[in-house]
Amino acid sequence: AKDQGKNNFQFYIPKSDSQAESRLALATRLHHAIHQNELCLQYQPQVCLQTGRIVGIEALLRWISPDFGTVPPGQFISIAEDTGLIGPIGEWVLREACQEYMRLKLAPLQLAVNLSARQFRQPDLVAKIRQILEETAMPASLLELELTETAFLDNVNEAISTLNQLKSMGVMLAIDDFGTGYSSLNYLKKFPVDKLKIDRSFIQHVTESPDDQAITRAVIAIARSMGLRTLAEGVETSQQTEFLRQEGCEEAQGYFFFKPLWPKDVASLIQNVCKG
Ligand code: C2E
Ligand code: CA
Ligand code: CA
Ligand code: CA
């Protein structure tokens, strides 16, 4: 199909028969995963680099399968996209994240939820999100949707229209993995987004690599001049943290601060931070 980006194409060329078989096996089981309660969410805190405080959490999907064990999202999101299962799975993620957020009383933290490109292009996406916000009483302004640049590729005008509808509901928008896609800086001008998430691949070597430093500085500068916030992904060391803070990056997320946590651990972490 014409809406399949370059990245997706490789999924149709199995590297071996056994890989094709295992993808098929996964797809079959994935079907049942929602109804059998095999999906769950972890949450990774996002930290303000100025104050050190937790300002948000990102919901990360987990599939705990009786047959395959814990399957990482990198292995099954692409299958879900190819088979169309991303529709029901993405809807489940949004509802579950909002429900858990309200149940654990996590306001005023920002709740970030990943949307896949195909999910973003579903015609009923905006209606679904509106319905979930109503159903769960989740405040729209505390929900942040993370989109990758591939979501915008196919039909730019339609993408802008969807983004505008989400913005008018009050939802926050972030571009995920910024810099790894087909970034045309021209997009940034047209898209009503609030935040750029600088991809981990630039952060990983940012303290040794002059190129990664230049890219990271440039992204922060562009974001600032356009009134967008920046968050650095995959921060693992204090040196990276110091560099980012000095360069004026607002937020960070990564193992240096917190790994993805189970809901009960998020709840007690937030409670302790508030009390202490
Ligand atoms: P992402 O959105 O870029 O999420 C960040 C990934 O990096 C997560 O992997 C997280 O556990 C990992 N990570 C966080 N901090 C560090 C660090 O300091 N070092 C390293 N090496 N890794 C770190 P995870 O949970 O395996 O998710 C992988 C990808 O799967 C996500 O990348 C996202 O693209 C996708 N994904 C996860 N949950 C969902 C979902 O609910 N819906 C959709 N559509 N995609 C999802
Ligand atoms: Ca993300
Ligand atoms: Ca990311
Ligand atoms: Ca990433």
Side-chain angles (χ1 to χ4, degrees), residues 58 114 146 176-177 197 199 233:
E58 177 180 1
N114 293 284
E146 297 194 359
D176 207 352
D177 304 342
K197 295 191 76 176
D199 191 64
E233 298 191 313

Side-chain angles (χ1 to χ4, degrees), residues 225-241:
S225 71
M226 299 185 77
L228 308 179
R229 285 182 296 141
T230 43
L231 180 147
E233 298 191 313
V235 176
E236 294 185 352
T237 69
S238 62
Q239 290 90 331
Q240 291 165 349
T241 305

Side-chain angles (χ1 to χ4, degrees), residues 149-161:
E149 290 154 284
T150 46
F152 308 147
L153 275 182
D154 189 37
N155 185 335
V156 174
N157 290 330
E158 210 166 288
I160 293 173
S161 153

Side-chain angles (χ1 to χ4, degrees), residues 11-26:
F11 302 139
Y12 294 106
I13 308 169
K15 291 196 184 82
S16 65
D17 282 356
S18 70
Q19 196 187 347
E21 267 165 37
S22 75
R23 280 182 74 83
L24 191 61
L26 280 179

Side-chain angles (χ1 to χ4, degrees), residues 119-131:
Q119 197 185 351
F120 177 72
R121 294 196 203 100
Q122 289 187 333
D124 59 350
L125 174 78
V126 175
K128 280 266 163 61
I129 290 175
R130 184 175 287 120
Q131 188 197 332

